[in-house]
Amino acid sequence: MRTLCSSTLIGEFFVIGFAALVAMKDPDLSTATVWLVSGIAMFLCVALCGVLTRPAGIALGWALQIALIASGVFVPTMYFMGAVFAALWWASVHYGRKIDEAKARFAAQSTENSLSGGAPSGGV
């Protein structure tokens, strides 16, 4: 799960950076504010990669997805991009857990076969 979720977060890192470049063109927003908010969001993307294995990591990732969608107020394209990344986040969490469960079953089966001295099942 960690690999899939981290890949999604790193993709978001770049999207947030590009959205900041677009937001800078808005005359109502100061450059400093745009880069402060975007910089914090980009930092959170990278920092979340390190805490995904902790229970709060996934919840914080969802909070980031909501914030990314909400940023559409300033850059309307982010409504769409936020929704895309929220779907990717869901898929990363959902399928990542399934992959982790399959790996655990495979490891348990492999350990069981090596302890019993038998050949791995399904082998050639």
Side-chain angles (χ1 to χ4, degrees):
M1 177 174 67
R2 184 175 179 180
T3 302
L4 290 175
C5 290
S6 292
S7 299
T8 300
L9 289 169
I10 295 304
E12 283 185 74
F13 172 89
F14 289 108
V15 167
I16 292 167
F18 290 130
L21 293 172
V22 173
M24 281 185 4
K25 296 189 185 272
D26 187 342
D28 297 332
L29 301 173
S30 73
T31 303
T33 303
V34 168
W35 284 111
L36 177 67
V37 173
S38 298
I40 290 170
M42 291 168 77
F43 171 78
L44 287 175
C45 287
V46 174
L48 277 174
C49 290
V51 297
L52 286 173
T53 56
R54 296 197 172 100
I58 300 301
L60 289 172
W62 278 114
L64 183 65
Q65 304 314 309
I66 292 167
L68 194 63
I69 292 170
S71 70
V73 171
F74 303 105
V75 180
T77 306
M78 291 306 290
Y79 285 126
F80 173 73
M81 293 304 295
V84 167
F85 274 98
L88 285 171
W89 183 254
W90 175 85
S92 297
V93 171
H94 179 74
Y95 292 112
R97 284 185 176 149
K98 287 187 175 199
I99 290 169
D100 288 348
E101 290 169 5
K103 282 182 180 178
R105 279 194 312 270
F106 180 75
Q109 182 182 13
S110 180
T111 303
E112 183 181 299
N113 285 337
S114 66
L115 291 176
S116 67
S121 62
V124 181

PDB file of all heavy atoms in Angstrom, residues 49 86 116:
ATOM      1  N   CYS A  49       4.358  10.669   2.838  1.00  0.00           N
ATOM      2  CA  CYS A  49       4.978   9.439   2.327  1.00  0.00           C
ATOM      3  C   CYS A  49       5.671   8.673   3.455  1.00  0.00           C
ATOM      4  O   CYS A  49       5.730   7.445   3.440  1.00  0.00           O
ATOM      5  CB  CYS A  49       5.993   9.754   1.227  1.00  0.00           C
ATOM      6  SG  CYS A  49       5.253  10.325  -0.306  1.00  0.00           S
ATOM      7  N   ALA A  86      -8.208  12.230  -5.818  1.00  0.00           N
ATOM      8  CA  ALA A  86      -8.973  11.563  -4.756  1.00  0.00           C
ATOM      9  C   ALA A  86      -9.328  10.142  -5.189  1.00  0.00           C
ATOM     10  O   ALA A  86      -9.253   9.202  -4.383  1.00  0.00           O
ATOM     11  CB  ALA A  86     -10.233  12.356  -4.419  1.00  0.00           C
ATOM     12  N   SER A 116       7.893 -27.325   6.350  1.00  0.00           N
ATOM     13  CA  SER A 116       7.461 -28.712   6.156  1.00  0.00           C
ATOM     14  C   SER A 116       8.387 -29.472   5.208  1.00  0.00           C
ATOM     15  O   SER A 116       8.281 -30.667   5.064  1.00  0.00           O
ATOM     16  CB  SER A 116       6.034 -28.750   5.634  1.00  0.00           C
ATOM     17  OG  SER A 116       5.979 -28.215   4.327  1.00  0.00           O
TER      18      SER A 116
END
